[in-house]
Amino acid sequence: PFRLNQWEPGSHLILEAFDQYVLGRPRIDVLEVKFIPDGNTIVANVLAGAVEMTLGRSISVEQAGQLDRWSEGSVVVAPLNLIRLWWQFLNPDPPLIRDVRFRRALLRAVDREEMAEALQRNYAPAAYSMVYPGAYPEFESRLPRFEYDRGQSVAEIQALGYALGADGLFRDGSGKTIGLDLMAQATQEVNVRAANAVVDYWKKVGVDAGLSIEPTQLAGLEKLRYEAERPGFVLRRSG
């Protein structure tokens, strides 16, 4: 429907309506498409009235919050990804990760509703399965739903033979804590913030959890191998 009139690489392009378009001439005569890779610059342009809409480039939740005072439009959320925790089954450390009862206790320890409000400003819902919330309601209704329950989480770990010490950490019969590593992909700020929140929740129920950040220089097969061989959990966004 539009023909290219001008193209300045790294800056912008100008499109003009094509009179002979098969569905009829567009009602908009000219479109200017600006290339703005930085989210903060996008927000500044929107608030200044220099941009009518964003196309293809997403902004963070914090940046979207700045548009609350934008009187000429609104923010539309198109959820595409879930923030997920993946565990490693080959040689997990601790081996307790293989026990579904322990993983269930870890899940109950995390307040996902609070995270959705604090980290996503309630733009995105809390997920209770690997399926995006609301996408397949009939299927979701048949899945087990493990709600946040800190007391139940503690009780389930105690049932595995661990006891809370004076320092608030679970220990086995030999006095060893449940040392657990969670690695986050730092490609998105929300990944690191979410991972910090999860580690904090796990510590509150007595798990000696720690956070590590995936080296940003990894790529391709090297990156996949590094993640697959991590002995604990990995937090990342995926579709």
Side-chain angles (χ1 to χ4, degrees), residues 34 36 39-54 66-67 69-73:
K34 300 180 179 180
I36 309 175
N40 289 320
T41 306
I42 292 176
V43 171
N45 274 265
V46 170
L47 292 175
V51 169
E52 279 69 47
M53 66 172 291
T54 62
Q66 299 176 38
L67 294 174
R69 61 181 188 277
W70 184 33
S71 60
E72 298 179 6

Side-chain angles (χ1 to χ4, degrees), residues 36-39 42 54-59:
I36 309 175
D38 180 67
I42 292 176
T54 62
L55 184 66
R57 177 70 183 179
S58 63
I59 59 178

Side-chain angles (χ1 to χ4, degrees), residues 24-35:
R25 187 184 191 280
R27 288 180 290 177
I28 298 176
D29 296 323
V30 179
L31 289 177
E32 179 182 4
V33 181
K34 300 180 179 180
F35 308 136

Side-chain angles (χ1 to χ4, degrees), residues 88-92 94-103:
Q88 200 257 63
F89 269 159
L90 298 177
N91 57 336
L96 185 60
I97 292 175
R98 285 198 182 97
D99 194 321
V100 67
R101 295 172 297 173
F102 178 62
R103 298 197 306 275

Side-chain angles (χ1 to χ4, degrees), residues 79-130:
L80 298 174
N81 299 295
L82 293 176
I83 297 176
R84 292 172 168 160
L85 288 172
W86 300 86
W87 56 90
Q88 200 257 63
F89 269 159
L90 298 177
N91 57 336
D93 184 19
L96 185 60
I97 292 175
R98 285 198 182 97
D99 194 321
V100 67
R101 295 172 297 173
F102 178 62
R103 298 197 306 275
R104 185 164 52 223
L106 292 178
L107 196 56
R108 291 190 192 278
V110 179
D111 190 342
R112 283 160 282 174
E113 298 289 345
E114 184 177 66
M115 289 179 67
E117 180 180 356
L119 303 181
Q120 300 288 294
R121 294 173 62 97
N122 281 329
Y123 284 132
Y128 287 89
S129 73
M130 299 294 274

Side-chain angles (χ1 to χ4, degrees), residues 117-229:
E117 180 180 356
L119 303 181
Q120 300 288 294
R121 294 173 62 97
N122 281 329
Y123 284 132
Y128 287 89
S129 73
M130 299 294 274
V131 179
Y132 193 85
Y136 303 96
E138 188 172 324
F139 174 67
E140 286 182 81
S141 66
R142 304 180 186 183
L143 297 176
R145 183 182 173 99
F146 301 107
E147 304 276 0
Y148 169 65
D149 190 330
R150 184 174 170 182
Q152 180 67 19
S153 174
V154 170
E156 289 180 349
I157 297 176
Q158 287 175 326
L160 295 173
Y162 290 84
L164 280 172
D167 56 0
L169 295 176
F170 274 111
R171 298 179 184 276
D172 60 17
S174 65
K176 184 179 179 181
T177 64
I178 306 176
L180 187 61
D181 177 67
L182 171 60
M183 183 183 74
Q185 291 183 330
T187 51
Q188 296 281 342
E189 182 187 359
V190 68
N191 290 357
V192 179
R193 297 178 65 195
N196 271 302
V198 170
V199 166
D200 188 54
Y201 284 127
W202 285 349
K203 286 181 177 178
K204 288 179 179 177
V205 297
V207 175
D208 190 12
L211 174 66
S212 58
I213 304 299
E214 182 179 71
T216 55
Q217 70 270 19
L218 295 178
L221 185 59
E222 182 185 19
K223 181 175 183 292
L224 292 175
R225 181 180 292 115
Y226 182 84
E227 292 176 358
E229 294 176 351

